[in-house]
Amino acid sequence: MIITIDGPAGAGKSTVAKKVAHTLGYEYLDTGALYRAIALYLRDKKVPPVESDEMRTALSNVDIHFEKERIYLDGRDVSAEIRTVEIETIVSSYAKLSMVREKLLEIQRKLGSLGNIVADGRDMGTVVFPEAILKIYLNAELKERAKRRWNDIKASGRDLSLEEVEVQLKKRDEEDSKRKHSPLRVPDGAFVIDSTDLTADQIAERVVELAENVIKSRGDCR
Ligand code: CDP
């Protein structure tokens, strides 16, 4: 059974998804980490964000997998490296390419077939797992999302102004929403939750309640 959580950057998707997965005993699938890792991989190989034979070959050779919620690229733990501001500025330009998305679609569907999961990203409910039992779209006001991301950045010892973070988030949201292939949008049938004035615990409780109702109603139908 699959629960999807989509939404823009800084809406709280990963915190909520982890809490829900933990409460329900599901696995957590962080698809943003896959896109970040691919961006890191192609940048290191000096493959620019334009579809090419070089990119196709590089993608067919990449080994990317999760182990205990850490992500490995060709056997190397890149969980910290993919969270840098530098990767955040280039990731959307790779994520918009069909070549990249098709490669990751395959990986995500394979991971999704392994058991019960909570998956977060941009196209979980629309494209990757349209059959999900519960779809959530988590949003929050831009200023609040920027403040949250700025606090994370400060906590990791980096120096960036709140205004810079806001500009970057806005640009990434636009790129992710306006692209042709699998743009960020509210999936049909999704529950939309605005997290601006809610804590992650409050949202997770609400999502667990919705999930339990769906699971129960499916059981009742048998
Ligand atoms: O944590 P945050 O919401 O900032 O980003 P993320 O979930 O780690 O995703 C990073 C980037 O990967 C996004 O800005 C998208 O460009 C891309 N992405 C995507 O296109 N589709 C997904 N399912 C997940 C991420």
Side-chain angles (χ1 to χ4, degrees):
M1 288 205 270
I2 296 175
I3 296 171
T4 60
I5 305 184
D6 289 302
K13 300 183 298 293
S14 62
T15 315
V16 170
K18 275 186 208 163
K19 282 179 190 287
V20 172
H22 183 250
T23 310
L24 296 173
Y26 283 25
E27 292 294 324
Y28 166 52
L29 174 58
D30 177 358
T31 65
L34 293 173
Y35 283 93
R36 287 166 180 261
I38 286 288
L40 172 70
Y41 171 77
L42 293 172
R43 186 213 55 183
D44 284 355
K45 290 210 165 318
K46 305 207 176 350
V47 178
V50 197
E51 294 194 336
S52 63
D53 289 341
E54 190 192 9
M55 180 178 281
R56 190 187 306 281
T57 310
L59 288 173
S60 66
N61 290 325
V62 67
D63 168 29
I64 186 165
H65 70 273
F66 288 101
E67 232 176 274
K68 299 197 181 99
E69 292 191 9
R70 300 201 65 83
I71 187 159
Y72 292 80
L73 194 57
D74 292 336
R76 190 165 60 92
D77 183 347
V78 293
S79 314
E81 225 176 306
I82 59 166
R83 302 283 158 204
T84 60
V85 173
E86 202 202 338
I87 292 300
E88 231 152 73
T89 29
I90 60 167
V91 60
S92 294
S93 58
Y94 286 102
K96 69 172 188 247
L97 305 175
S98 304
M99 212 174 253
V100 168
R101 301 205 75 82
E102 267 145 36
K103 169 76 189 175
L104 289 185
L105 186 64
E106 195 188 301
I107 296 178
Q108 294 168 93
R109 293 234 170 107
K110 207 178 278 169
L111 291 169
S113 69
L114 298 178
N116 294 329
I117 65 162
V118 181
D120 81 348
R122 303 292 188 286
D123 58 346
M124 296 297 95
T126 50
V127 176
V128 183
F129 301 119
E131 76 285 12
I133 57 158
L134 175 65
K135 299 178 186 184
I136 305 292
Y137 187 87
L138 197 55
N139 207 347
E141 282 164 20
L142 175 66
K143 287 227 172 308
E144 175 61 24
R145 292 191 285 114
K147 212 160 71 192
R148 291 177 191 166
R149 194 44 60 98
W150 183 58
N151 283 331
D152 293 345
I153 290 173
K154 268 198 310 185
S156 68
R158 286 168 294 163
D159 188 24
L160 214 62
S161 73
L162 177 58
E163 290 70 32
E164 282 171 293
V165 175
E166 190 176 320
V167 168
Q168 237 189 49
L169 276 198
K170 194 160 178 255
K171 183 166 177 282
R172 195 146 60 93
D173 285 353
E174 278 175 11
E175 279 187 84
D176 291 342
S177 315
K178 290 187 179 149
R179 68 183 175 218
K180 223 159 63 201
H181 198 320
S182 313
L184 169 65
R185 64 174 179 81
V186 180
D188 289 340
F191 288 87
V192 178
I193 301 177
D194 187 321
S195 75
T196 309
D197 299 315
L198 296 173
T199 65
D201 279 336
Q202 288 171 318
I203 304 162
E205 265 171 42
R206 170 93 180 108
V207 176
V208 167
E209 197 179 280
L210 289 168
E212 283 170 347
N213 286 341
V214 179
I215 294 165
K216 184 173 175 297
S217 70
R218 287 165 74 99
D220 289 347
C221 291
R222 287 208 185 106

